[in-house]
Amino acid sequence: MAADTALVVRDVEGPAAMAACIGLYTDVMGLRPADGSLNPRLLTALQTNGGIVVAAYESGDPARPVGFAYSFLAREPGGELFQYSQLAVVARHLQGRGVGRLLKYAQRERALAMGLTRIRWSYDPLKTRNAHFNLDVLGGRISVLKPSMYGDEGFGDDAGESTDRFLLDWDLTRPAMAQPELPDRAWQPGECLAYGDDLLIAVPALWDLHRTAIGASAAAALRTSLRETFTEALTTHVGVSCLRVTDDLAVYRFVPRGTDQEVAS
């Protein structure tokens, strides 16, 4: 049964419902006791002060969340208000089934009702499934990379990994646009190709498997190299797409700043 017809997304209400969402987050992220987590009081405070806390439930089990997202009200230095989405998680058995899209659309609906037109969040540049969803499905744009945003090492299933993060902005008034086709060629992980005015950067499509295959030292070196490549690209370009080109590789597209509103369909 398709996720979009079998699920309902609603605002989370009450400490028990909040605790169930936190339990889902802890399980999906593989958190250890020392990693820390959320608590219902924090989520309640955020929700009652401009934040958004939503969860997805299977129609046959309305008490147990299978997806969870929360965001809080934030302000740019210049004064613009937006929602900052701190996390979104989906139960393992429903990942890739459209639950994340339902959660994001719920956040969008609630943000627009507040008079806001932008949601921002961060993600690991090497999580290419997230990248494709964020950029090609939703239409987000990347303009900043934050090195070691959460410290020198990740937590949960990402223990031992760098915490470099892209910051992505989702304009809620602009639909996602189809991307031009990528050139047919042999790609190498870490490669950066100038393609007209665009920059194309190849990354492993399945980072966890690639990291295991090449070893921790080589993986760390590749991550560092990609961090430098992304940072250089973002001085002049904006990230708009991440498409799988083979089973093992995905390619980011960066377009010159100022042209990202006009990506060809």
Side-chain angles (χ1 to χ4, degrees):
M1 187 175 295
D4 58 357
T5 60
L7 300 181
V8 59
V9 177
R10 62 175 185 262
D11 295 308
V12 181
E13 298 181 359
M18 297 284 189
C21 289
I22 294 167
L24 173 68
Y25 165 61
T26 301
D27 175 64
V28 172
M29 298 301 293
L31 298 184
R32 303 163 300 186
D35 291 329
S37 187
L38 302 168
N39 65 69
R41 294 184 300 279
L42 173 62
L43 292 179
T44 300
L46 291 173
Q47 187 182 56
T48 55
N49 289 279
I52 299 168
V53 185
V54 292
Y57 299 86
E58 292 182 288
S59 57
D61 193 355
R64 183 168 62 92
V66 294
F68 160 54
Y70 83 87
S71 62
F72 54 83
L73 194 61
R75 184 191 298 272
E76 290 283 17
E80 180 192 355
L81 293 174
F82 61 95
Q83 285 284 323
Y84 186 88
S85 183
Q86 177 60 28
L87 68 84
V89 295
V90 175
R92 297 181 190 276
H93 73 284
L94 284 177
Q95 290 179 5
R97 295 281 305 280
V99 183
R101 186 182 308 204
L102 292 177
L103 291 170
K104 284 300 177 189
Y105 285 169
Q107 288 183 310
R108 178 182 185 274
E109 177 185 352
R110 287 153 178 77
L112 288 171
M114 296 176 184
L116 307 176
T117 60
R118 184 159 56 100
I119 299 177
R120 174 180 293 169
W121 62 91
S122 69
Y123 77 94
D124 183 339
L126 297 184
K127 303 290 187 181
T128 59
R129 176 191 284 183
N130 291 349
H132 175 67
F133 173 71
N134 293 338
L135 298 170
D136 298 286
V137 176
L138 296 179
R141 296 292 182 261
I142 301 162
S143 58
V144 176
L145 185 144
K146 291 283 190 181
S148 301
M149 182 171 174
Y150 296 114
D152 293 334
E153 182 178 332
F155 54 87
D157 290 343
D158 292 328
E161 284 283 284
S162 165
T163 66
D164 295 345
R165 296 290 186 268
F166 278 144
L167 286 185
L168 175 137
D169 283 294
W170 183 23
D171 182 343
L172 306 181
T173 66
R174 180 181 62 189
M177 301 180 70
Q179 299 292 327
E181 290 187 4
L182 295 167
D184 184 11
R185 66 191 306 275
W187 295 92
Q188 296 297 322
E191 176 183 16
C192 180
L193 173 70
Y195 189 61
D197 292 330
D198 298 350
L199 295 175
L200 305 178
I201 300 174
V203 300
L206 301 170
W207 175 247
D208 290 343
L209 293 179
H210 188 80
R211 178 181 59 184
T212 300
I214 67 175
S217 179
L222 178 57
R223 223 186 223 283
T224 298
S225 175
L226 282 166
R227 176 198 304 151
E228 295 168 355
T229 301
F230 286 136
T231 299
E232 178 64 23
L234 288 169
T235 61
T236 55
H237 288 61
V238 176
V240 299
S241 175
C242 184
L243 297 176
R244 184 83 67 93
V245 293
T246 70
D247 289 343
D248 302 320
L249 283 170
V251 174
Y252 275 98
R253 179 186 295 272
F254 292 79
V255 300
R257 289 181 180 268
T259 66
D260 60 297
Q261 299 277 352
E262 303 164 2
V263 177
S265 60

